[in-house]
Amino acid sequence: MGMVEAWDADQTEANNRISFSLSGSGANNFMIRGSVLGSGQAVGRLSLPLDVSLDYETQASFSLIVSTENADAQGRETTAEVLVTVGDVNDVPPTLDSASLQGIRVAENGSQHGILVNVVAQDRDTMSQVEVQLVNVICTKP
């Protein structure tokens, strides 16, 4: 998903580990794994655990704080803000307003042209106009 690099200019034998941690809104949805790049350099790779999926309609972004710290006695740390934006995908089907489908009447033996009814539909993912097409008409006698 992303990565953060850290380095420590005064790296020594006794002080040679850089650790990463996460905090902020929704930090429990993510994990960060650190690995050594070289002397005094490390990278933290931000990812999602296998059992976590993000939903744009629930939360569109997360503001995380990545902290880096080395193991010295002073416990000095540095932080960086990371904004994770969730991309929206068209995963929610459109809905029809059933009230707009009630009470439709057409005269017998006539040909009525023009609009019979305005069907109301909504697509939460795209907030676009939804097109409704009539594909079949079945007439029944009540």
Side-chain angles (χ1 to χ4, degrees):
M1 174 181 305
M3 62 184 193
V4 177
E5 288 188 36
W7 62 94
D8 186 355
D10 65 349
Q11 196 78 49
T12 65
E13 287 284 326
N15 182 20
N16 64 357
R17 187 177 301 256
I18 297 173
S19 63
F20 294 88
S21 62
L22 286 174
S23 60
S25 73
N28 56 336
N29 291 304
F30 301 89
M31 62 185 192
I32 191 162
R33 286 201 172 118
S35 58
V36 176
L37 290 177
S39 179
Q41 292 184 307
V43 64
R45 287 178 171 60
L46 185 65
S47 61
L48 287 173
L50 293 175
D51 62 342
V52 172
S53 64
L54 304 178
D55 183 21
Y56 177 87
E57 283 77 28
T58 303
Q59 187 167 352
S61 66
F62 296 85
S63 182
L64 305 175
I65 304 294
V66 177
S67 300
T68 59
E69 183 178 25
N70 60 13
D72 67 356
Q74 291 90 10
R76 296 180 182 161
E77 77 174 9
T78 301
T79 61
E81 186 172 336
V82 176
L83 178 64
V84 177
T85 304
V86 180
D88 190 14
V89 295
N90 196 1
D91 62 343
V92 177
T95 58
L96 291 170
D97 180 358
S98 60
S100 69
L101 300 171
Q102 302 299 316
I104 302 170
R105 295 194 176 275
V106 178
E108 176 184 28
N109 296 327
S111 61
Q112 187 170 354
H113 299 286
I115 296 175
L116 294 176
V117 65
N118 285 318
V119 177
V120 178
Q122 181 182 17
D123 187 349
R124 279 186 27 212
D125 285 320
T126 63
M127 300 310 281
S128 298
Q129 179 179 353
V130 177
E131 181 179 318
V132 179
Q133 295 180 350
L134 178 63
V135 293
N136 196 3
V137 175
I138 298 174
C139 295
T140 60
K141 184 178 180 181

